[in-house]
Amino acid sequence: MLTRPLRLSLWTLIGTPALLTLGGCWLDSSSVPDAGAAPAAPVAAASGPTTQAITVSGSIYAAPVGGSTVSLFAADAQGRATGAALATTTSDAQGHYTLSVASLPSGPVLIVATGGSYTSEADGSTQTLGSLSTLLPSVAAGANTAQLTPLTTAIAAATANLLGQQAGPVATAQASATSKVNALFGLAALSADPSAVSGDPNATTGNGWLIAALAGTLEQLRANTALSPAVLYQALQDDAADGKLDGLKNGQPITLTGGGTLSASLFTTQWSGAANAFGNSHPVYAGATTSISGALQVSAQSAGVAIGSSGSIAPLQTQAAGTQIYFAARGDGLVKLDMSDPANPVATKVASINSAVMVSAGGTYFSSLDGIVIDPTPINTASGAKVFALLYSYRSRTVVAVNLTDGAVADTATLTITRTTGFSGATASIAGGIADGVRNKIWLATGDGLLGLDPSNLKAAPVSIAQPAGTQINENLGGDPARDIVYTPDYDAGTLVIYNLAEARAYTMDATAWSQLINGWTPFEIDGVALDSSYQVAVMTPEGNRQIGLLTYTTPSGSSAAVGTIPSGAVFKNFTAGGAFSGSAIDGVSHTALFVGEGRGLGVGVIDNPANANWLGFSSFVAAPSSSYSFGPHDPHTVGAFNIQGKPYGFVLNGYLSGYQVVVLDLNAFLAMPSTNGVTSADPLTTAAVAKLLRY
């Protein structure tokens, strides 16, 4: 039986054996001065004796950690340990420790716990701790408290990162880091200084309950990935230090201890899967994991791991296999593109699935495979955590759930869809789809409106959100599930439609207000929309049009009627591009969008920050003059854009009906092509530095 836990976001840091040893503790290598440079001056203990004993007490919690070596160091101006330990002790079986300091340090101190063992709350196994830490801006004479948890370790790393970028008081930087980390982890309910809060596995509410839930989900991730605590926690420390869980540290790829590059999915979608599993098996934490889940989805969306505006290209990022891009290649069936080495991508047909679903390969369901939508969060099954996807064909009401982990068909269902939806080049029962990791659903665009299905259990009744009267769903969806949105302007351009997924309700904008908002924009048949969830900007493409509409968005909510009204307040930008486009997809990490035309035409733009006083729409944009790119039949569009190892890549299918080529576009190289008035002087598909064309 499949189980579906809750989804979650946390932010946790722990050191690893890859760290440098100093004074008996593990220290992040970023804290070590460059060779030949003068060492950081230690923060000295105050001169002269004190008449009152100085102690620091607390506990070590990833679950209670016994036998851990706990050391107190003076910290430098960046919050990093320096010099020899001023005091050292060992935690007891319950993780408690007390340090006695001979004299009062005059500045910040870092307390580091290394080694020791604990019983995992996720799977009951005995684990060896890598490292946990906490940073105190100062200690006072007498008794001091310092708890060491994944949260305090994250805050210490974020504080050091902030101080490394801009000098300032440690306390000020730590306050900023605390606010950012709490928000990132979905721990807004935490009502105390994190350094004063340890995990409490016996609590059912409160601060200790939140910290225990945080640690438990991280333990579930360790169990799911089979990574050691040291490797896992150091990777998370590096990822979380800049305040984003996107597989990067200050924009740069992260090298894992022992080799390999950190995938953006490990601490987004894979951690979400771990949170689902932990919340399901430990329902006492359900409230905490729900809160953390919503926060993680913001990270996951901004990391580009969600599907773009096209339901025919979907990413799956795994720690072991890197990034795989799946294509619904119509008559060719399901194709997998291995992007674990972006310089040498490899495309292959997925024979095990095609033989079951494609009529041409001896299967049962589809003569044309038109869409794949992946729920990137692994789902716990009796045989372990699996990744599920939905396959569909535009002209069929049948959907097939596949287990991508094992390459096997899991289930099928024939949906109750009463109306088709028509475009200039297609008629469809199912026109597109988008993954929703918050609710563990896949939303399908139909003539009736949105249908939300659980890909691991197609027997469960779908969630239905009816299409508002007088409107038609467009052929390429945009979504921001973290904000409960599927965003789809009326195909006939009469209004804006936004679905609130949490409410299972549609919202429309008053037609007059919509017309006034988009004044000067002349849309006809709005084919596609893609969302930059970090900037909260929707990019809308009418069919074969040089004009691109950009609209800031928020989540409409609160209506008691079946269809609510979208309030005013959005900002609209009409951007005229160098080519005629119909569909798009966005890499939310770099804010880079890939555009395709009706069968031909390619363009790339970088979305300008709408917070800028003079919002440009796109800060840069280039289009191909007359590209050799050709895709048919071209409705709906086949386009994807995802961030892989810190770079934006675009993906399309090239060809007609069958025998396609998979196209991998280096979007940075595309933008850098020589151009005149925003039009490139060469065809990007014939430029080796820009495009790789792959047969399969």
Side-chain angles (χ1 to χ4, degrees):
M1 179 178 177
L2 303 180
T3 58
R4 264 270 208 209
L6 304 169
R7 172 165 278 199
L8 163 50
S9 158
L10 309 167
W11 151 329
T12 283
L13 306 152
I14 309 180
T16 82
L19 305 181
L20 300 182
T21 304
L22 179 62
C25 76
W26 300 110
L27 299 178
D28 187 335
S29 58
S30 64
S31 69
V32 180
D34 294 336
V43 178
S47 58
T50 62
T51 57
Q52 188 175 3
I54 305 162
T55 61
V56 181
S57 300
S59 61
I60 318 301
Y61 193 89
V65 183
S68 181
T69 299
V70 188
S71 301
L72 183 148
F73 295 85
D76 64 14
Q78 293 185 8
R80 304 172 305 181
T82 183
L86 303 180
T88 298
T89 190
T90 301
S91 64
D92 66 18
Q94 288 73 47
H96 301 139
Y97 77 92
T98 297
L99 290 161
S100 298
V101 187
S103 56
L104 187 65
S106 61
V109 299
L110 187 72
I111 302 169
V112 181
T114 61
S117 62
Y118 60 94
T119 300
S120 171
E121 192 172 358
D123 61 6
S125 63
T126 300
Q127 296 295 319
T128 300
L129 182 68
S131 173
L132 289 172
S133 62
T134 193
L135 177 67
L136 300 179
S138 63
V139 293
N144 299 265
T145 299
Q147 311 292 353
L148 281 70
T149 69
L151 180 61
T152 65
T153 312
I155 292 169
T159 302
N161 196 63
L162 286 172
L163 290 170
Q165 296 173 342
Q166 183 175 354
V170 170
T172 301
Q174 187 179 55
S176 177
T178 299
S179 176
K180 185 175 292 186
V181 173
N182 283 352
L184 186 70
F185 287 0
L187 297 179
L190 194 70
S191 60
D193 181 345
S195 67
V197 181
S198 186
D200 182 354
N202 298 313
T204 57
T205 59
N207 294 326
W209 170 73
L210 289 170
I211 298 301
L214 175 69
T217 56
L218 185 59
E219 269 302 294
Q220 187 68 58
L221 180 62
R222 176 204 55 74
N224 288 356
T225 59
L227 295 172
S228 71
V231 172
L232 181 70
Y233 298 159
Q234 178 59 34
L236 184 56
Q237 174 173 314
D238 290 337
D239 196 359
D242 60 4
K244 295 182 290 185
L245 295 174
D246 57 3
L248 308 172
K249 182 176 181 180
N250 297 324
Q252 298 301 311
I254 296 169
T255 300
L256 294 173
T257 303
T261 302
L262 177 64
S263 164
S265 73
L266 183 61
F267 298 122
T268 52
T269 55
Q270 291 189 71
W271 201 355
S272 296
N276 287 347
F278 187 71
N280 188 66
S281 59
H282 298 73
V284 68
Y285 293 119
T289 55
T290 297
S291 174
I292 298 168
S293 168
L296 179 58
Q297 282 309 297
V298 175
S299 294
Q301 294 286 330
S302 65
V305 298
I307 193 169
S309 67
S310 169
S312 55
I313 302 178
L316 174 61
Q317 296 172 294
T318 63
Q319 189 59 37
T323 300
Q324 316 295 312
I325 308 294
Y326 284 82
F327 291 73
R330 302 202 171 173
D332 292 340
L334 187 62
V335 174
K336 181 172 71 172
L337 176 68
D338 184 351
M339 288 291 292
S340 56
D341 178 5
N344 298 287
V346 177
T348 55
K349 288 187 178 182
V350 186
S352 61
I353 291 175
N354 288 338
S355 63
V357 303
M358 297 301 297
V359 173
S360 60
T364 305
Y365 303 102
F366 306 129
S367 58
S368 176
L369 179 62
D370 298 318
I372 175 171
V373 186
I374 300 172
D375 181 350
T377 301
I379 301 168
N380 272 3
T381 73
S383 57
K386 311 294 182 182
V387 173
F388 287 83
L390 278 187
L391 307 181
Y392 60 87
S393 180
Y394 296 139
R395 298 181 185 274
S396 173
R397 293 182 292 115
T398 297
V399 293
V400 177
V402 294
N403 169 354
L404 291 179
T405 304
D406 299 330
V409 170
D411 200 1
T412 66
T414 299
L415 304 177
T416 302
I417 301 172
T418 62
R419 293 184 297 174
T420 60
T421 183
F423 310 112
S424 59
T427 299
S429 292
I430 301 172
I434 192 163
D436 174 7
V438 176
R439 279 153 285 272
N440 298 309
K441 300 287 187 187
I442 288 174
W443 296 93
L444 298 178
T446 77
D448 295 333
L450 284 185
L451 284 181
L453 287 82
D454 178 346
S456 71
N457 182 14
L458 294 183
K459 293 178 176 59
V463 177
S464 177
I465 310 178
Q467 187 70 22
T471 69
Q472 179 180 334
I473 203 163
N474 63 347
E475 58 194 90
N476 299 283
L477 299 179
D480 185 350
R483 295 184 177 88
D484 303 324
I485 283 178
V486 164
Y487 195 105
T488 170
D490 173 26
Y491 178 74
D492 294 319
T495 186
L496 174 66
V497 180
I498 295 179
Y499 301 94
N500 184 313
L501 303 179
E503 296 178 352
R505 179 180 289 113
Y507 285 78
T508 64
M509 184 173 284
D510 175 80
T512 300
W514 170 250
S515 179
Q516 292 173 344
L517 178 64
I518 64 172
N519 181 36
W521 192 45
T522 55
F524 172 73
E525 296 182 351
I526 302 178
D527 275 8
V529 60
L531 300 190
D532 182 327
S533 61
S534 179
Y535 280 167
Q536 290 184 247
V537 170
V539 175
M540 298 173 288
T541 46
E543 180 176 292
N545 202 313
R546 291 169 55 87
Q547 291 185 315
I548 299 170
L550 298 97
L551 184 64
T552 61
Y553 66 82
T554 55
T555 305
S557 63
S559 174
S560 58
V563 178
T565 301
I566 298 172
S568 58
V571 178
F572 180 81
K573 179 70 178 178
N574 180 12
F575 184 88
T576 302
F581 306 113
S582 298
S584 65
I586 299 171
D587 162 38
V589 175
S590 64
H591 313 291
T592 305
L594 171 65
F595 293 84
V596 296
E598 289 288 270
R600 289 186 178 272
L602 292 172
V604 180
V606 178
I607 301 171
D608 187 34
N609 190 337
N612 291 337
N614 181 26
W615 184 30
L616 301 175
F618 292 94
S619 57
S620 60
F621 198 105
V622 296
S626 179
S627 173
S628 57
Y629 162 72
S630 176
F631 177 74
H634 53 258
D635 279 344
H637 311 287
T638 300
V639 57
F642 309 107
N643 198 279
I644 300 171
Q645 298 185 17
K647 288 182 62 177
Y649 289 90
F651 304 92
V652 296
L653 281 173
N654 188 45
Y656 187 78
L657 290 180
S658 188
Y660 293 111
Q661 293 173 308
V662 166
V663 181
V664 181
L665 296 165
D666 182 327
L667 299 186
N668 286 343
F670 195 145
L671 284 164
M673 291 182 69
S675 61
T676 302
N677 297 324
V679 178
T680 63
S681 57
D683 179 356
L685 258 65
T686 62
T687 304
V690 176
K692 290 182 171 61
L693 281 67
L694 308 173
R695 296 288 186 185
Y696 42 80

